[in-house]
Amino acid sequence: MSEARVPRDAQRKRLYQAEHPLPSSPLPGLDACSGFADRVVGTLWWYARFPDHRLDGIPRLRPGHGARQAFYREDDDGPTITLPRRYRTKGVMLHELAHWAMSGDDDLPNHGRTFARLLLDITLEFCGPDRADLLTQSYREHKVSLGSPPRIGPDGRPRYGWDERLRLGRGETLAICHLGRGDTPIATTGVYEGKDRSGKVLRVRVGAAARPMRIPTNSVWDVRAAR
């Protein structure tokens, strides 16, 4: 079995450059960083989007003596966030928590369109509209590509990444969740051949079918790599 391709993290530098000029909101020490993380992860907003990333699994914070930057990492004893002193801010904590939230999305770039969207949404929710507006403006200035808003599934849960998986997944076998007639949830697995000329319909070839299945783009609420 061949290993899954790791997507190129093409806009990592641009996203960092977009974040850098924003005003910081310092947190006085690791305890304050931990308390802020608990408040974020303990909200209904977070739980609605990431029900598998709960308070009992929140990353352990490391002081990062000698580290040049903050970073998220999965160690043998669980996930960690390394926070050198100068990076102990709300913005950095939200950035690293976003990495934790997407830790299972290894088919998406680490700082791609989906991450940029999540970072913007999480900034709006926990740092307010003024900072979110500044981040949006900085995204434009640094040409950061921004993913589409999450789509809400039949269970009421918003799901990120559907659009980026379609963008990266042409020719790949994808599991596409969408609504059929009467808003019936349907999961279609097949080779994604792209959109039609209008951009409003997905073409998905299921098995040995002579013609691809046509799925309205606006009916899609989740896309995953087929396992």
Side-chain angles (χ1 to χ4, degrees):
M1 180 181 295
S2 61
E3 294 184 1
R5 291 179 298 175
V6 178
R8 189 166 67 95
D9 199 12
Q11 69 172 11
R12 176 178 181 270
K13 182 178 180 180
R14 297 198 303 274
L15 190 138
Y16 283 163
Q17 290 173 335
E19 288 183 281
H20 182 71
L22 300 184
S24 63
S25 299
L27 293 165
L30 287 182
D31 287 345
C33 292
S34 179
F36 178 70
D38 286 349
R39 291 194 296 274
V40 170
V41 176
T43 61
L44 291 175
W45 186 95
W46 180 277
Y47 181 75
R49 288 156 179 78
F50 311 109
D52 296 330
H53 293 73
R54 305 181 184 184
L55 285 169
D56 58 359
I58 200 166
R60 177 170 51 88
L61 302 187
R62 302 170 66 245
H65 299 307
R68 295 186 176 182
Q69 61 185 23
F71 57 89
Y72 169 83
R73 187 174 70 186
E74 295 190 18
D75 295 332
D76 292 339
D77 58 348
T80 64
I81 293 174
T82 297
L83 287 172
R85 191 177 301 275
R86 62 179 295 199
Y87 292 100
R88 296 171 189 176
T89 69
K90 290 182 179 180
V92 171
M93 279 302 307
L94 292 178
H95 181 114
E96 303 307 333
L97 286 174
H99 278 308
W100 176 49
M102 291 185 59
S103 58
D105 298 320
D106 52 8
D107 58 328
L108 295 176
N110 287 337
H111 299 88
R113 295 166 183 246
T114 302
F115 182 86
R117 164 58 62 181
L118 173 55
L119 183 61
L120 179 60
D121 288 358
I122 202 174
T123 297
L124 174 62
E125 182 67 21
F126 297 105
C127 288
D130 290 344
R131 185 178 177 89
D133 287 345
L134 289 174
L135 182 58
T136 300
Q137 180 180 345
S138 197
Y139 276 174
R140 287 196 294 265
E141 292 174 354
H142 293 278
K143 296 180 172 56
V144 173
S145 297
L146 182 64
S148 298
R151 290 273 177 90
I152 298 177
D155 57 358
R157 175 185 165 192
R159 287 173 170 83
Y160 289 87
W162 63 272
D163 57 317
E164 190 166 25
R165 288 190 173 94
L166 290 176
R167 180 176 176 272
L168 298 173
R170 188 167 182 172
E172 303 291 336
T173 302
L174 301 178
I176 299 175
C177 298
H178 55 105
L179 298 177
R181 292 181 179 178
D183 289 339
T184 302
I186 300 173
T188 298
T189 299
V191 177
Y192 175 55
E193 297 186 349
K195 298 179 181 179
D196 70 356
R197 291 183 178 180
S198 72
K200 297 179 180 180
V201 176
L202 310 181
R203 295 181 290 113
V204 182
R205 192 172 298 275
V206 179
R211 295 183 179 180
M213 183 176 178
R214 295 169 60 85
I215 301 173
T217 305
N218 61 8
S219 73
V220 174
W221 52 271
D222 196 17
V223 177
R224 298 284 164 175
R227 302 297 183 185

